[in-house]
Every structure is written in C-alpha cells, then in structure tokens.
Amino acid sequence: MEIKGIDVSACQGKIDWETVADYGMGFAILRITEKGNKTDSTFEQNYKGCTQHGIPVGVYKYSYAKSPAQAEQEAESVLKVLNKCRLNFPVFYDLEWSEQRKLGSVAVEKIALAFLKKIQAAGYQGGIYCNLDWYQNVLTKALKKYDCWIARYPANDNGTLQERLRPEVGVGWQYSSKATIPGIGTKVDRNVFYKDYKTEEGTGMTAAEAINAVIGIAEEEIGYLEKRSNSQLDSKTANAGSGNYTKYWRDIAPSYQAQPWCAGFVSWCFYKAFGLTTARKLLKHWPYVYCPDLGNKFTRYANPEKGDIVIFYRNGTFAHTGIVTRVSGDRFWTIEGNTSGASGIVANGGGVCEKSYYNSQLPGTKFCRPDYSIVTNIIPDNGSGDHTTGGHYMFEPKTVKKGDNGLSVLLLQEILIARGFKGKDGKPLTLDRAAGTNTIHALTQYQKSRKGVLEADGICGDKTWRDLIAL
C-alpha cells in the first residue's frame, strides 16, 4: 500500500485546499512551529483547510535543540499550538540541523527522546524525519524504533518519484522537493507513506468526515413527509398530513410528538450519525428542540460553513433551523425538516427539503458551529435500529451497487482510498457518497486483488464488506 501526500509550511504561501483535495491528496504534514518556537504563520489556515476538505493531517517540528531541556521546550510549544487538535499522522521531529549532528549520536538520542516522550505523554504519536544519511549514521537503535520518515531525492529533482532512490527503511519517503500540485503556487515536497495512520485504532476521524456523515444522514431523509397521525412513521410518504407526527420525535423525544419538528430533525440526524452521547456533546444539550436555546449555547457566526446549524431569524426571534450542506460565496445550501420546497424560510411546512439562500438577504440569521473534532466514530443505521462493531467504525453497512447513494457508499469510498484503489480515471476517489463509475471500478479492482476470496462483480455485499473491514 502506498499513500501519496505533501508537506508544507509558510514557504508555500496561501494554499487553495479545495483544489488540492480535488486533485487527490492522501495526507498533508504541516510545519507547526519554526525557529524560536514561533508558530508557522500558515499553520492554522492549513490545518483548517485540510480538515474541511477531508485531508488527513500530521505535523512536523524542525529541531534547533542542543539539549533535552530545549527539546522539551520545543515539544511544549508544539502542544500549545495544537491545543488538543486531532491529528491523523504523527508529530514528526525533524532532525537535520548540522549543529545538532556535531553533538554526536548519543546526545541526539537524548534530545529526540526528550521531545518524543513529551509528545506521547500528551496523547499524540511521535515520529522522526531525517535524510537517509542521518538515519544510517546518526540515529541510534532507540530512535530507529520510532516511525521514521526518510528524505531522499536526486540532484536533478524534477518532482517525479525516482524508484532507484527508494530507501529500504522507514514508513514514509520524501522523494521530491520540487513537485507541482494544483492549488499550490510554489514547488512543494512530495511524499509516499506505506502506513495508513488514518485507519489505525484510536486515530479518530477528521472533522470533514464527521460533517459528511451527518450530512449523509440528512440527505437520505429528503422527501420525508410528516404524518397526520401516529401511524406509518417510517414511511417517507404514507399517511402524510399536517399533524407534526414524525419518526424523528418518536426516536429522540416521544413527549414532543405532534409538535413542530425542525430542531428535532437536526437532533435526530446527529443521533443517527454519532450516537446519543456524542450528539449531546455536539449540540451542548439534549434534545435540541428550541432555536433560541441552541443560539444561547453557541457562538453565533454571521457567515456559514459546511456542517453548521443555521438558526433562521424571523419576526424578532430565531424560529427555524437546518443543517448547512454547502457554501459558495454568499449562497448556502441546507437540509431542513418541517419545511417545504418553496423559496424563502418556510417553518412548519411539513417535509424534509433541500433548500438554498443568499446570506445577505437574511438579516439576523446566524450559524452555530458544533465541534466535530470530538467525533471518534460514526454509527450509520442499518435499518433495524441496532448497531454492530466492524473495523474502525461501528456499523453494519448496506449493500452497495452502481447508482447507489448515501452513507454506506461514503464508507466504501473511504476504505478503498485507504487501500490505495483508484477510479477508472486513474485518480483517487472523491468522497461524494455516489456509487458512480469510478467507485465501482475501484471496488472491482479490489475484488480482483482478492482472487479466490471474492467475486469481481462490482457489488459490495456482505462478503466483500467483511473482507474490506477485516484487512
């Protein structure tokens, strides 16, 4: 397995992470602090860009420490900037300073261990970045036990991978410093890793994955109509009426049945995606039933981001709500319960609809931003109401075939990307929750790679799911 990615710093300037993600990026390792333990001026925007667009993140710290005490100070500065932010890849300690090398291997070992132990004590995985010469002639056995990311590229570096230079050691190889990537205006370091930290137990999820999960749940509910009575609640369209009876109140707060349910729909989506405990933390109370209560518990932002909970302002109060699914300039898209497909804000409209608005035309409307970084797993509904544990996620996915959409497709795409299988166009899959030609091609190639175990039929049924999760 090989996963290709980049490492970046302020040297790359402002990066268009949406373009980078669309190009296909297995990971990005970000410089977090520079000389003098100052925060890299682009770290915050780079971290946000990666997490928003589903790019797994690691960080690196170029070391200028000449003693274990100075190394501990470097670790403390890194941890202060991270401020408990989730990482998918390790915190790499960059050992290449010539003044350090003059101290000798024993001194370098003490310096590096002082840094790494402090990083590990804070709950992060530590690793070492160095060139092949440092690995062979400076690193001790104690340091080689850590995951090592090795730099080695030719003098006539043109951005491509030179197979003849591939090191025989390390979990990752920095093979170029002069690659060209759409969305980055300068040359950039290119890397390949042989270890997928993102799928390891305990690495959690990115915020973008969590946002996609809750939006995926909401999308599957579009078209649901409220019922005239407490009957046939699971059907999307049967027994339609204006009684405000829904499966959403039934599942999360039965005592609210027959009441307006736009907030109940949001609560239900979070509950179905993440379970009750995490949904309660994300919404800061349970259940979310009243827009002003939510607004009082969150910072109310004036401009939307994907994954926000919008609270619409009408007649002097917050009176309707939904989930923001996409933003483009002044325009944003939502999925809302208890509304209609008509333009404008329609509260108590009777169904689940996808809508869009121009923010500048909605004075007083605000956006609440759940802390998706706390999510560690997603819990898709298997249709029976119970959940089982499989691999990194707690789920029992549905069969996926060409033309399907939804959360099971998203999970399949994530696993295929992690396994290194690409679409028919030769590019990494897009996490779009749609089982199109590229997704089915990658699935079929995976099945072919399991010759004798799986049939290459392009359908992800129970047997293929079990195989995917077990590996």
Side-chain angles (χ1 to χ4, degrees):
M1 178 186 66
E2 292 188 357
I3 308 169
K4 284 190 175 181
I6 54 177
D7 62 275
V8 298
S9 69
C11 297
Q12 275 66 53
K14 186 175 182 180
I15 295 173
D16 181 349
W17 286 106
E18 183 175 6
T19 299
V20 172
D22 287 343
Y23 173 74
M25 196 54 58
F27 61 87
I29 301 176
L30 316 176
R31 187 175 72 173
I32 186 165
T33 61
E34 51 185 304
K35 194 170 186 179
N37 292 328
K38 296 179 181 179
T39 304
D40 183 292
S41 61
T42 59
F43 173 73
E44 295 292 344
Q45 65 191 46
N46 286 341
Y47 181 85
K48 181 178 180 181
C50 288
T51 55
Q52 283 183 333
H53 296 288
I55 301 173
V57 178
V59 301
Y60 75 91
K61 164 63 182 174
Y62 188 115
S63 176
Y64 292 94
K66 287 189 173 182
S67 70
Q70 291 177 352
E72 289 182 350
Q73 290 174 356
E74 290 184 331
E76 289 169 359
S77 70
V78 167
L79 295 172
K80 183 178 180 180
V81 176
L82 281 175
N83 193 27
K84 299 183 180 180
C85 287
R86 176 168 283 112
L87 296 178
N88 309 104
F89 277 58
V91 176
F92 286 100
Y93 203 35
D94 185 341
L95 299 176
E96 57 179 296
W97 191 33
S98 59
E99 295 302 308
Q100 266 182 345
R101 183 164 185 161
K102 293 176 183 178
L103 301 174
S105 293
V106 174
V108 169
E109 177 187 298
K110 292 178 180 179
I111 290 169
L113 290 179
F115 177 91
L116 293 168
K117 288 178 179 178
K118 207 165 189 67
I119 292 295
Q120 290 171 311
Y124 293 99
Q125 183 168 348
I128 292 174
Y129 167 91
C130 64
N131 61 37
L132 185 60
D133 177 55
W134 267 70
Y135 182 89
Q136 293 173 334
N137 299 305
V138 181
L139 264 58
T140 62
K141 289 183 179 180
L143 295 182
K144 289 178 181 178
K145 291 179 181 179
Y146 286 84
D147 284 0
C148 292
W149 168 28
I150 308 298
R152 192 186 191 193
Y153 33 85
N156 60 340
D157 185 4
N158 62 5
T160 62
L161 186 152
Q162 303 292 318
E163 186 61 42
R164 61 186 175 81
L165 296 178
R166 186 187 294 270
E168 295 181 358
V169 295
V171 299
W173 170 30
Q174 186 185 75
Y175 63 82
S176 174
S177 64
K178 296 182 179 180
T180 300
I181 299 292
I184 301 178
T186 67
K187 298 296 184 181
V188 64
D189 295 340
R190 201 74 162 104
N191 305 271
V192 59
F193 268 73
Y194 319 117
K195 182 176 182 178
D196 187 2
Y197 296 95
K198 181 169 166 288
T199 62
E200 291 195 341
E201 189 67 27
T203 56
M205 306 175 66
T206 66
E209 288 172 324
I211 291 169
N212 284 336
V214 76
I215 290 175
I217 293 289
E219 284 179 337
E220 292 184 354
E221 297 303 307
I222 294 172
Y224 182 92
L225 301 177
E226 70 180 56
K227 313 306 175 187
R228 66 170 63 95
S229 63
N230 199 19
S231 177
Q232 295 180 285
L233 300 183
D234 289 310
S235 172
K236 270 196 171 182
T237 57
N239 193 32
S242 56
N244 279 323
Y245 289 94
T246 68
K247 66 179 179 179
Y248 310 120
W249 282 139
R250 178 201 64 192
D251 292 347
I252 65 165
S255 63
Y256 284 92
Q257 194 66 282
Q259 300 296 317
W261 50 278
C262 59
F265 170 72
V266 173
S267 292
W268 187 89
C269 290
F270 278 75
Y271 163 68
K272 284 294 182 179
F274 311 120
L276 177 58
T277 300
T278 301
R280 185 191 299 271
K281 292 178 180 178
L282 287 166
L283 297 172
K284 299 188 178 182
H285 68 306
W286 186 262
Y288 165 37
V289 299
Y290 186 50
C291 297
D293 279 351
L294 186 83
N296 290 334
K297 293 178 183 296
F298 282 82
T299 299
R300 297 191 294 268
Y301 292 92
N303 297 304
E305 290 186 4
K306 181 180 176 180
D308 284 355
I309 299 171
V310 56
I311 45 177
F312 293 101
Y313 190 78
R314 293 181 63 202
N315 301 322
T317 188
F318 296 115
H320 184 56
T321 190
I323 300 170
V324 176
T325 61
R326 185 157 63 98
V327 179
S328 179
D330 185 45
R331 191 178 183 186
F332 67 96
W333 285 255
T334 64
I335 298 176
E336 303 161 29
N338 210 180
T339 190
S340 77
S343 61
I345 303 168
V346 180
N348 207 28
V352 178
C353 297
E354 185 174 32
K355 305 187 74 168
S356 69
Y357 308 87
Y358 289 95
N359 190 31
S360 60
Q361 297 176 7
L362 299 175
T365 290
K366 300 296 180 184
F367 303 89
C368 302
R369 197 154 297 155
D371 181 10
Y372 290 100
S373 70
I374 70 171
V375 177
T376 57
N377 60 271
I378 59 178
I379 309 178
D381 188 5
N382 63 16
S384 64
D386 63 340
H387 305 89
T388 55
T389 301
H392 182 55
Y393 303 105
M394 293 177 63
F395 77 111
E396 187 175 325
K398 301 174 184 177
T399 296
V400 173
K401 59 185 182 301
K402 189 170 183 179
D404 286 346
N405 292 272
L407 204 52
S408 291
V409 180
L410 173 65
L411 294 175
L412 174 61
Q413 290 169 334
E414 289 181 339
I415 294 172
L416 290 171
I417 290 171
R419 299 282 182 265
F421 289 88
K422 299 180 179 180
K424 191 173 183 179
D425 59 5
K427 298 179 181 179
L429 298 179
T430 300
L431 295 174
D432 58 7
R433 301 184 296 280
T437 300
N438 285 325
T439 297
I440 298 304
H441 175 82
L443 170 62
T444 304
Q445 294 304 114
Y446 173 80
Q447 291 172 326
K448 287 180 179 179
S449 76
R450 302 289 291 155
K451 186 177 181 180
V453 177
L454 299 175
E455 179 184 356
D457 59 2
I459 298 174
C460 191
D462 289 344
K463 188 173 183 180
T464 299
W465 273 119
R466 288 196 296 271
D467 193 74
L468 279 163
I469 295 167
L471 286 181

